[in-house]
Amino acid sequence: MRSIWNGAISFGLVSIPIKLVNATESHSISFRQIHTEDNGRIRYRKVCELEDREVSQAEIGKGYEDADGTIIPITDEDLAHLPIPTARTIEIVAFVPADRIDPLQMDAAYYLAATGAPAAKPYTLLREALKRSNKVAIAKYALRGRERLGMLRVVGDAIAMHGLLWPDEVRAPEGVAPDVDVTVRDKELDLADALMDTLGEVDLDDLHDEYREALGEVIAAKAAGEAPPEVPEPAAGGKVLDLMAALESSVRAARESRGAEPGKEAEVRTLARSRTTPKETGGKKTTSAAAKKAAAKKTATPRKSTAAKQTPHRTTAKTTAKTTAKTTTKTAGKTAAAAKTTAKATAKKAGEKKTAAKKTAARKRSA
């Protein structure tokens, strides 16, 4: 690989001669600007605005435009004599855990190649020290006319360097997050967690640029004088009204795409967190895959359950009717018997009075 910068890594008093090579390459398809009437190339000519003539690359230098429009020329010699120690050196300033680096700071990636046999030993020493410490090295270096920040880490048997943005170059995410209060229920989090588990992981080597492949097919077809392949219409995106239903559908689709049983409900794993009571959620009912599964089981045998419930009702009604009839009859019998006893008692008293009256009348006649 062609080097783009030559210098050394400064590791304390250790100096490691290295060369810098690009670690990435672009495979994107680039276009040229053309004149649509005759396909002629559109080119830009560099013209001096004072002399109104085109100038060659050898006549072009650098200049800084001041606030009032004044141009201050800066030569390569001026840049070469900048009073910075990193002009030809990658100076390691600290070693930190990798998770201390914000991914937002990541920039271009390079490989650091040892230059010659003398660099092999210190290069290997630095590589193994990084491995054993599980840390990355933070360094400063100068490239293309400016001092930059970098992170050194081990990739296989090589040392790679990621250019880093300076901390003040990373913007704060102000005004990006939603500015409305939103309550996410535990059921929704459970389904989102189930969807993440179902989608699982992916081997990044299996991913490829489908847009570039499709664009290549279009270019090949037009070059051969054929009609470009038809592109399928993208699925119309509808407005999501029910987040729970959308999550459940996503889980089912993800399971089916990975060969799971199409009709099988997704397994929802409860997150290890405090549960929200119905009172806290405003008493609203939430539907989850587990709740639907339980409801499906209940619905699967409705006739049997209904029949089992209906029979005792009919039997109870009949039993109640018989008991009521028996009670009524028994009560009526008791009432009749009581009336009969009362009548007998009344008749007996009447007879006793009549007998007493006869005896009294007989005593009066005898007297």
Side-chain angles (χ1 to χ4, degrees), residues 254-309:
R255 288 183 60 86
E256 292 174 8
S257 68
R258 277 160 173 71
E261 297 178 16
K264 187 176 180 181
E265 288 288 346
E267 179 183 355
V268 178
R269 186 179 68 188
T270 303
L271 294 174
R273 55 186 295 145
S274 59
R275 312 306 297 176
T276 306
T277 61
K279 185 176 181 180
E280 292 172 341
T281 56
K284 295 181 180 180
K285 294 182 179 179
T286 56
T287 304
S288 66
K292 286 193 171 185
K293 189 173 182 180
K297 287 184 178 179
K298 290 182 180 180
T299 312
T301 55
R303 296 184 179 178
K304 183 178 179 181
S305 301
T306 306
K309 292 180 180 179

CSV table of all heavy atoms in Angstrom, one decimal, residues 254-309:
chain,number,residue,atom,x,y,z
A,254,ALA,N,-40.0,-10.9,12.1
A,254,ALA,CA,-38.6,-11.2,12.3
A,254,ALA,C,-38.4,-12.7,12.6
A,254,ALA,O,-37.5,-13.3,12.1
A,254,ALA,CB,-38.0,-10.4,13.5
A,255,ARG,N,-39.3,-13.3,13.4
A,255,ARG,CA,-39.2,-14.7,13.6
A,255,ARG,C,-39.4,-15.5,12.3
A,255,ARG,O,-38.7,-16.5,12.1
A,255,ARG,CB,-40.3,-15.1,14.7
A,255,ARG,CG,-40.0,-14.6,16.1
A,255,ARG,CD,-41.0,-15.1,17.0
A,255,ARG,NE,-41.0,-16.6,17.1
A,255,ARG,CZ,-40.2,-17.3,17.8
A,255,ARG,NH1,-39.4,-16.7,18.6
A,255,ARG,NH2,-40.3,-18.6,17.8
A,256,GLU,N,-40.4,-15.1,11.5
A,256,GLU,CA,-40.6,-15.8,10.3
A,256,GLU,C,-39.4,-15.7,9.3
A,256,GLU,O,-39.1,-16.6,8.6
A,256,GLU,CB,-41.9,-15.3,9.6
A,256,GLU,CG,-43.2,-15.7,10.4
A,256,GLU,CD,-44.4,-15.0,9.8
A,256,GLU,OE1,-44.3,-14.4,8.7
A,256,GLU,OE2,-45.5,-15.1,10.5
A,257,SER,N,-38.8,-14.5,9.3
A,257,SER,CA,-37.6,-14.3,8.4
A,257,SER,C,-36.4,-15.2,8.8
A,257,SER,O,-35.6,-15.4,8.0
A,257,SER,CB,-37.2,-12.9,8.4
A,257,SER,OG,-36.7,-12.5,9.6
A,258,ARG,N,-36.4,-15.6,10.1
A,258,ARG,CA,-35.4,-16.4,10.6
A,258,ARG,C,-35.8,-17.9,10.7
A,258,ARG,O,-35.1,-18.7,11.4
A,258,ARG,CB,-34.9,-15.9,11.9
A,258,ARG,CG,-33.9,-14.8,11.7
A,258,ARG,CD,-33.7,-13.9,12.9
A,258,ARG,NE,-32.7,-12.9,12.7
A,258,ARG,CZ,-32.7,-11.9,11.9
A,258,ARG,NH1,-33.8,-11.7,11.2
A,258,ARG,NH2,-31.7,-11.1,11.8
A,259,GLY,N,-36.8,-18.3,10.0
A,259,GLY,CA,-37.2,-19.7,9.9
A,259,GLY,C,-38.0,-20.2,11.1
A,259,GLY,O,-38.2,-21.4,11.3
A,260,ALA,N,-38.5,-19.3,12.0
A,260,ALA,CA,-39.4,-19.8,13.1
A,260,ALA,C,-40.8,-20.1,12.5
A,260,ALA,O,-41.1,-19.8,11.4
A,260,ALA,CB,-39.5,-18.7,14.1
A,261,GLU,N,-41.5,-20.8,13.4
A,261,GLU,CA,-42.9,-21.2,13.0
A,261,GLU,C,-43.7,-20.0,12.7
A,261,GLU,O,-43.8,-19.1,13.6
A,261,GLU,CB,-43.5,-22.1,14.0
A,261,GLU,CG,-42.8,-23.4,14.3
A,261,GLU,CD,-43.4,-24.2,15.4
A,261,GLU,OE1,-44.5,-23.9,15.7
A,261,GLU,OE2,-42.7,-25.1,15.9
A,262,PRO,N,-44.4,-19.8,11.6
A,262,PRO,CA,-45.1,-18.6,11.3
A,262,PRO,C,-46.2,-18.3,12.3
A,262,PRO,O,-46.5,-17.2,12.6
A,262,PRO,CB,-45.7,-18.9,9.9
A,262,PRO,CG,-44.9,-19.9,9.3
A,262,PRO,CD,-44.4,-20.8,10.4
A,263,GLY,N,-46.9,-19.3,12.8
A,263,GLY,CA,-48.1,-19.1,13.6
A,263,GLY,C,-47.7,-19.0,15.1
A,263,GLY,O,-48.6,-18.7,15.9
A,264,LYS,N,-46.5,-19.2,15.4
A,264,LYS,CA,-46.0,-19.2,16.8
A,264,LYS,C,-45.9,-17.8,17.3
A,264,LYS,O,-45.3,-17.0,16.7
A,264,LYS,CB,-44.7,-20.0,17.0
A,264,LYS,CG,-44.3,-20.2,18.4
A,264,LYS,CD,-43.0,-21.0,18.5
A,264,LYS,CE,-42.6,-21.3,19.9
A,264,LYS,NZ,-41.4,-22.1,20.0
A,265,GLU,N,-46.5,-17.6,18.5
A,265,GLU,CA,-46.4,-16.3,19.1
A,265,GLU,C,-45.0,-16.0,19.6
A,265,GLU,O,-44.2,-16.9,20.0
A,265,GLU,CB,-47.3,-16.2,20.3
A,265,GLU,CG,-48.8,-16.1,19.9
A,265,GLU,CD,-49.2,-14.8,19.3
A,265,GLU,OE1,-48.4,-13.8,19.4
A,265,GLU,OE2,-50.2,-14.7,18.7
A,266,ALA,N,-44.6,-14.8,19.6
A,266,ALA,CA,-43.2,-14.4,20.0
A,266,ALA,C,-43.1,-14.5,21.5
A,266,ALA,O,-44.1,-14.2,22.2
A,266,ALA,CB,-42.9,-13.0,19.6
A,267,GLU,N,-42.0,-14.9,22.0
A,267,GLU,CA,-41.8,-15.0,23.4
A,267,GLU,C,-41.3,-13.7,23.9
A,267,GLU,O,-40.4,-13.1,23.4
A,267,GLU,CB,-40.7,-16.0,23.7
A,267,GLU,CG,-40.4,-16.2,25.2
A,267,GLU,CD,-39.2,-17.1,25.4
A,267,GLU,OE1,-38.8,-17.8,24.5
A,267,GLU,OE2,-38.8,-17.3,26.6
A,268,VAL,N,-42.1,-13.1,24.9
A,268,VAL,CA,-41.8,-11.8,25.4
A,268,VAL,C,-41.1,-12.0,26.7
A,268,VAL,O,-41.6,-12.6,27.7
A,268,VAL,CB,-43.1,-11.0,25.6
A,268,VAL,CG1,-42.7,-9.6,26.2
A,268,VAL,CG2,-43.8,-10.8,24.3
A,269,ARG,N,-39.9,-11.6,26.9
A,269,ARG,CA,-39.1,-11.7,28.1
A,269,ARG,C,-39.3,-10.5,28.9
A,269,ARG,O,-39.1,-9.3,28.4
A,269,ARG,CB,-37.6,-11.9,27.7
A,269,ARG,CG,-36.7,-12.2,29.0
A,269,ARG,CD,-35.3,-12.4,28.6
A,269,ARG,NE,-34.8,-11.1,28.1
A,269,ARG,CZ,-33.6,-11.0,27.5
A,269,ARG,NH1,-32.8,-12.0,27.3
A,269,ARG,NH2,-33.1,-9.8,27.1
A,270,THR,N,-39.7,-10.6,30.2
A,270,THR,CA,-39.9,-9.5,31.1
A,270,THR,C,-38.6,-8.9,31.5
A,270,THR,O,-37.7,-9.7,31.9
A,270,THR,CB,-40.7,-10.0,32.3
A,270,THR,OG1,-41.9,-10.6,31.8
A,270,THR,CG2,-41.0,-8.8,33.2
A,271,LEU,N,-38.5,-7.6,31.4
A,271,LEU,CA,-37.2,-7.0,31.8
A,271,LEU,C,-37.2,-7.0,33.4
A,271,LEU,O,-38.2,-6.9,34.0
A,271,LEU,CB,-37.2,-5.5,31.3
A,271,LEU,CG,-37.1,-5.4,29.8
A,271,LEU,CD1,-37.2,-3.9,29.5
A,271,LEU,CD2,-35.8,-5.9,29.3
A,272,ALA,N,-36.0,-7.0,33.9
A,272,ALA,CA,-35.8,-7.0,35.3
A,272,ALA,C,-35.9,-5.6,35.8
A,272,ALA,O,-34.9,-4.9,36.0
A,272,ALA,CB,-34.4,-7.6,35.7
A,273,ARG,N,-37.1,-5.2,36.1
A,273,ARG,CA,-37.3,-3.8,36.5
A,273,ARG,C,-38.7,-3.8,37.3
A,273,ARG,O,-39.4,-4.7,37.2
A,273,ARG,CB,-37.3,-2.8,35.3
A,273,ARG,CG,-38.3,-3.2,34.3
A,273,ARG,CD,-38.2,-2.3,33.1
A,273,ARG,NE,-38.6,-0.9,33.4
A,273,ARG,CZ,-38.0,0.1,32.8
A,273,ARG,NH1,-37.0,-0.1,32.0
A,273,ARG,NH2,-38.3,1.3,33.1
A,274,SER,N,-38.9,-2.7,38.0
A,274,SER,CA,-40.1,-2.6,38.7
A,274,SER,C,-41.3,-2.5,37.8
A,274,SER,O,-41.3,-1.8,36.8
A,274,SER,CB,-40.1,-1.3,39.6
A,274,SER,OG,-39.9,-0.1,38.8
A,275,ARG,N,-42.4,-3.2,38.1
A,275,ARG,CA,-43.5,-3.2,37.2
A,275,ARG,C,-44.4,-2.1,37.6
A,275,ARG,O,-44.5,-1.6,38.7
A,275,ARG,CB,-44.3,-4.6,37.4
A,275,ARG,CG,-43.4,-5.8,37.4
A,275,ARG,CD,-42.6,-5.9,36.2
A,275,ARG,NE,-43.4,-6.0,35.0
A,275,ARG,CZ,-42.9,-5.9,33.8
A,275,ARG,NH1,-41.6,-5.8,33.6
A,275,ARG,NH2,-43.7,-6.0,32.7
A,276,THR,N,-45.2,-1.6,36.6
A,276,THR,CA,-46.1,-0.5,36.7
A,276,THR,C,-47.5,-1.0,37.0
A,276,THR,O,-48.0,-1.9,36.3
A,276,THR,CB,-46.2,0.3,35.4
A,276,THR,OG1,-44.8,0.7,35.1
A,276,THR,CG2,-47.0,1.6,35.6
A,277,THR,N,-48.1,-0.6,38.1
A,277,THR,CA,-49.5,-1.0,38.5
A,277,THR,C,-50.5,-0.4,37.6
A,277,THR,O,-50.3,0.6,36.9
A,277,THR,CB,-49.7,-0.7,39.9
A,277,THR,OG1,-49.7,0.8,40.0
A,277,THR,CG2,-48.7,-1.2,40.9
A,278,PRO,N,-51.7,-1.0,37.5
A,278,PRO,CA,-52.8,-0.5,36.7
A,278,PRO,C,-53.1,1.0,37.1
A,278,PRO,O,-53.5,1.8,36.2
A,278,PRO,CB,-54.0,-1.4,36.9
A,278,PRO,CG,-53.3,-2.7,37.3
A,278,PRO,CD,-52.1,-2.3,38.1
A,279,LYS,N,-53.0,1.2,38.4
A,279,LYS,CA,-53.3,2.6,38.8
A,279,LYS,C,-52.3,3.6,38.2
A,279,LYS,O,-52.7,4.7,37.8
A,279,LYS,CB,-53.2,2.7,40.3
A,279,LYS,CG,-53.6,4.0,40.9
A,279,LYS,CD,-53.6,3.9,42.4
A,279,LYS,CE,-54.1,5.3,43.0
A,279,LYS,NZ,-54.1,5.3,44.5
A,280,GLU,N,-51.0,3.2,38.1
A,280,GLU,CA,-50.0,4.1,37.6
A,280,GLU,C,-50.1,4.3,36.1
A,280,GLU,O,-49.8,5.3,35.6
A,280,GLU,CB,-48.6,3.5,37.9
A,280,GLU,CG,-48.3,3.5,39.3
A,280,GLU,CD,-47.0,2.8,39.6
A,280,GLU,OE1,-46.6,2.0,38.8
A,280,GLU,OE2,-46.4,3.0,40.7
A,281,THR,N,-50.7,3.3,35.4
A,281,THR,CA,-50.9,3.5,33.9
A,281,THR,C,-52.2,4.0,33.6
A,281,THR,O,-52.7,3.9,32.5
A,281,THR,CB,-50.7,2.1,33.3
A,281,THR,OG1,-51.6,1.2,33.8
A,281,THR,CG2,-49.3,1.6,33.4
A,282,GLY,N,-53.0,4.5,34.6
A,282,GLY,CA,-54.3,5.1,34.3
A,282,GLY,C,-55.3,4.1,34.1
A,282,GLY,O,-56.4,4.4,33.6
A,283,GLY,N,-55.1,2.9,34.5
A,283,GLY,CA,-56.1,1.8,34.4
A,283,GLY,C,-56.3,1.3,33.0
A,283,GLY,O,-57.3,0.6,32.7
A,284,LYS,N,-55.4,1.7,32.1
A,284,LYS,CA,-55.6,1.2,30.7
A,284,LYS,C,-55.1,-0.2,30.6
A,284,LYS,O,-54.2,-0.7,31.2
A,284,LYS,CB,-54.8,2.1,29.8
A,284,LYS,CG,-55.3,3.5,29.7
A,284,LYS,CD,-54.4,4.4,28.8
A,284,LYS,CE,-54.9,5.8,28.7
A,284,LYS,NZ,-54.1,6.6,27.8
A,285,LYS,N,-55.8,-0.9,29.7
A,285,LYS,CA,-55.5,-2.3,29.5
A,285,LYS,C,-54.4,-2.4,28.4
A,285,LYS,O,-54.4,-1.6,27.4
A,285,LYS,CB,-56.7,-3.1,29.0
A,285,LYS,CG,-57.7,-3.3,30.0
A,285,LYS,CD,-58.9,-4.2,29.5
A,285,LYS,CE,-60.0,-4.3,30.6
A,285,LYS,NZ,-61.1,-5.2,30.1
A,286,THR,N,-53.4,-3.2,28.6
A,286,THR,CA,-52.3,-3.4,27.7
A,286,THR,C,-52.3,-4.8,27.2
A,286,THR,O,-52.5,-5.7,27.9
A,286,THR,CB,-50.9,-3.1,28.3
A,286,THR,OG1,-50.8,-3.9,29.4
A,286,THR,CG2,-50.9,-1.6,28.7
A,287,THR,N,-52.1,-4.9,25.9
A,287,THR,CA,-52.1,-6.2,25.3
A,287,THR,C,-50.7,-6.7,24.9
A,287,THR,O,-50.0,-5.9,24.3
A,287,THR,CB,-52.9,-6.2,24.0
A,287,THR,OG1,-54.2,-5.7,24.3
A,287,THR,CG2,-53.1,-7.6,23.4
A,288,SER,N,-50.3,-7.8,25.4
A,288,SER,CA,-49.0,-8.4,25.0
A,288,SER,C,-49.1,-9.7,24.4
A,288,SER,O,-50.2,-10.2,24.3
A,288,SER,CB,-48.1,-8.5,26.3
A,288,SER,OG,-48.7,-9.5,27.1
A,289,ALA,N,-48.1,-10.2,23.9
A,289,ALA,CA,-48.1,-11.5,23.2
A,289,ALA,C,-48.5,-12.6,24.2
A,289,ALA,O,-49.3,-13.5,23.9
A,289,ALA,CB,-46.8,-11.9,22.6
A,290,ALA,N,-48.1,-12.5,25.5
A,290,ALA,CA,-48.4,-13.5,26.4
A,290,ALA,C,-49.9,-13.4,26.8
A,290,ALA,O,-50.6,-14.4,27.0
A,290,ALA,CB,-47.6,-13.3,27.7
A,291,ALA,N,-50.4,-12.2,26.9
A,291,ALA,CA,-51.9,-12.0,27.2
A,291,ALA,C,-52.7,-12.6,26.1
A,291,ALA,O,-53.7,-13.2,26.3
A,291,ALA,CB,-52.2,-10.5,27.4
A,292,LYS,N,-52.3,-12.3,24.8
A,292,LYS,CA,-53.0,-12.9,23.7
A,292,LYS,C,-53.0,-14.4,23.7
A,292,LYS,O,-54.0,-15.1,23.3
A,292,LYS,CB,-52.5,-12.3,22.4
A,292,LYS,CG,-52.8,-10.9,22.1
A,292,LYS,CD,-52.5,-10.5,20.7
A,292,LYS,CE,-53.0,-9.2,20.3
A,292,LYS,NZ,-52.8,-8.9,18.9
A,293,LYS,N,-51.9,-15.0,24.0
A,293,LYS,CA,-51.7,-16.4,24.1
A,293,LYS,C,-52.7,-17.0,25.1
A,293,LYS,O,-53.4,-18.0,24.9
A,293,LYS,CB,-50.3,-16.8,24.4
A,293,LYS,CG,-50.0,-18.2,24.2
A,293,LYS,CD,-48.5,-18.5,24.4
A,293,LYS,CE,-48.2,-20.0,24.2
A,293,LYS,NZ,-46.7,-20.2,24.4
A,294,ALA,N,-52.8,-16.3,26.3
A,294,ALA,CA,-53.7,-16.8,27.3
A,294,ALA,C,-55.1,-16.7,26.9
A,294,ALA,O,-56.0,-17.6,27.1
A,294,ALA,CB,-53.4,-16.0,28.6
A,295,ALA,N,-55.4,-15.6,26.2
A,295,ALA,CA,-56.8,-15.4,25.7
A,295,ALA,C,-57.1,-16.4,24.6
A,295,ALA,O,-58.3,-16.9,24.6
A,295,ALA,CB,-56.9,-14.0,25.1
A,296,ALA,N,-56.1,-16.8,23.8
A,296,ALA,CA,-56.4,-17.8,22.8
A,296,ALA,C,-56.7,-19.1,23.4
A,296,ALA,O,-57.5,-19.9,22.9
A,296,ALA,CB,-55.2,-17.9,21.9
A,297,LYS,N,-56.0,-19.5,24.5
A,297,LYS,CA,-56.3,-20.7,25.2
A,297,LYS,C,-57.7,-20.8,25.7
A,297,LYS,O,-58.4,-21.8,25.7
A,297,LYS,CB,-55.3,-20.9,26.3
A,297,LYS,CG,-53.9,-21.3,25.8
A,297,LYS,CD,-53.0,-21.6,27.0
A,297,LYS,CE,-51.6,-22.0,26.5
A,297,LYS,NZ,-50.7,-22.2,27.6
A,298,LYS,N,-58.1,-19.6,26.3
A,298,LYS,CA,-59.5,-19.6,26.8
A,298,LYS,C,-60.5,-19.7,25.7
A,298,LYS,O,-61.6,-20.3,25.9
A,298,LYS,CB,-59.7,-18.2,27.6
A,298,LYS,CG,-58.9,-18.2,28.9
A,298,LYS,CD,-59.1,-16.9,29.6
A,298,LYS,CE,-58.4,-16.8,30.9
A,298,LYS,NZ,-58.6,-15.5,31.6
A,299,THR,N,-60.2,-19.1,24.6
A,299,THR,CA,-61.2,-19.1,23.5
A,299,THR,C,-61.2,-20.5,22.8
A,299,THR,O,-62.2,-20.8,22.1
A,299,THR,CB,-60.8,-18.0,22.5
A,299,THR,OG1,-60.6,-16.8,23.1
A,299,THR,CG2,-61.9,-17.8,21.5
A,300,ALA,N,-60.2,-21.3,23.0
A,300,ALA,CA,-60.1,-22.5,22.2
A,300,ALA,C,-61.1,-23.5,22.7
A,300,ALA,O,-61.6,-24.3,21.9
A,300,ALA,CB,-58.7,-23.2,22.5
A,301,THR,N,-61.6,-23.5,23.9
A,301,THR,CA,-62.6,-24.5,24.4
A,301,THR,C,-63.8,-23.8,25.0
A,301,THR,O,-64.1,-24.0,26.2
A,301,THR,CB,-62.0,-25.5,25.4
A,301,THR,OG1,-61.4,-24.7,26.4
A,301,THR,CG2,-60.9,-26.3,24.7
A,302,PRO,N,-64.6,-22.9,24.3
A,302,PRO,CA,-65.6,-22.2,24.9
A,302,PRO,C,-66.9,-23.1,25.2
A,302,PRO,O,-67.5,-22.9,26.1
A,302,PRO,CB,-65.9,-21.1,23.9
A,302,PRO,CG,-65.5,-21.7,22.6
A,302,PRO,CD,-64.4,-22.6,22.9
A,303,ARG,N,-67.2,-24.0,24.3
A,303,ARG,CA,-68.4,-24.8,24.4
A,303,ARG,C,-68.4,-25.7,25.6
A,303,ARG,O,-69.3,-25.9,26.3
A,303,ARG,CB,-68.6,-25.6,23.1
A,303,ARG,CG,-68.9,-24.8,21.9
A,303,ARG,CD,-69.2,-25.6,20.7
A,303,ARG,NE,-69.4,-24.8,19.6
A,303,ARG,CZ,-69.7,-25.2,18.3
A,303,ARG,NH1,-69.7,-26.5,18.1
A,303,ARG,NH2,-69.9,-24.4,17.3
A,304,LYS,N,-67.2,-26.3,25.8
A,304,LYS,CA,-67.0,-27.2,26.9
A,304,LYS,C,-67.2,-26.5,28.2
A,304,LYS,O,-67.9,-26.9,29.1
A,304,LYS,CB,-65.6,-27.9,26.9
A,304,LYS,CG,-65.4,-28.9,28.0
A,304,LYS,CD,-64.1,-29.5,27.8
A,304,LYS,CE,-63.8,-30.5,28.9
A,304,LYS,NZ,-62.5,-31.2,28.8
A,305,SER,N,-66.6,-25.3,28.3
A,305,SER,CA,-66.7,-24.6,29.6
A,305,SER,C,-68.2,-24.1,29.8
A,305,SER,O,-68.7,-24.1,30.9
A,305,SER,CB,-65.8,-23.3,29.5
A,305,SER,OG,-64.5,-23.8,29.3
A,306,THR,N,-68.8,-23.7,28.7
A,306,THR,CA,-70.2,-23.2,28.8
A,306,THR,C,-71.1,-24.3,29.2
A,306,THR,O,-72.0,-24.1,30.0
A,306,THR,CB,-70.6,-22.6,27.4
A,306,THR,OG1,-69.7,-21.6,27.1
A,306,THR,CG2,-72.0,-22.0,27.5
A,307,ALA,N,-70.9,-25.5,28.6
A,307,ALA,CA,-71.8,-26.6,28.9
A,307,ALA,C,-71.6,-27.0,30.3
A,307,ALA,O,-72.6,-27.3,31.1
A,307,ALA,CB,-71.5,-27.8,28.0
A,308,ALA,N,-70.4,-26.9,30.8
A,308,ALA,CA,-70.1,-27.3,32.2
A,308,ALA,C,-70.8,-26.4,33.1
A,308,ALA,O,-71.2,-26.7,34.2
A,308,ALA,CB,-68.6,-27.4,32.4
A,309,LYS,N,-70.9,-25.1,32.7
A,309,LYS,CA,-71.5,-24.1,33.6
A,309,LYS,C,-73.0,-24.1,33.5
A,309,LYS,O,-73.7,-23.9,34.5
A,309,LYS,CB,-71.0,-22.7,33.2
A,309,LYS,CG,-69.5,-22.5,33.6
A,309,LYS,CD,-69.0,-21.1,33.2
A,309,LYS,CE,-67.6,-20.9,33.5
A,309,LYS,NZ,-67.1,-19.6,33.1
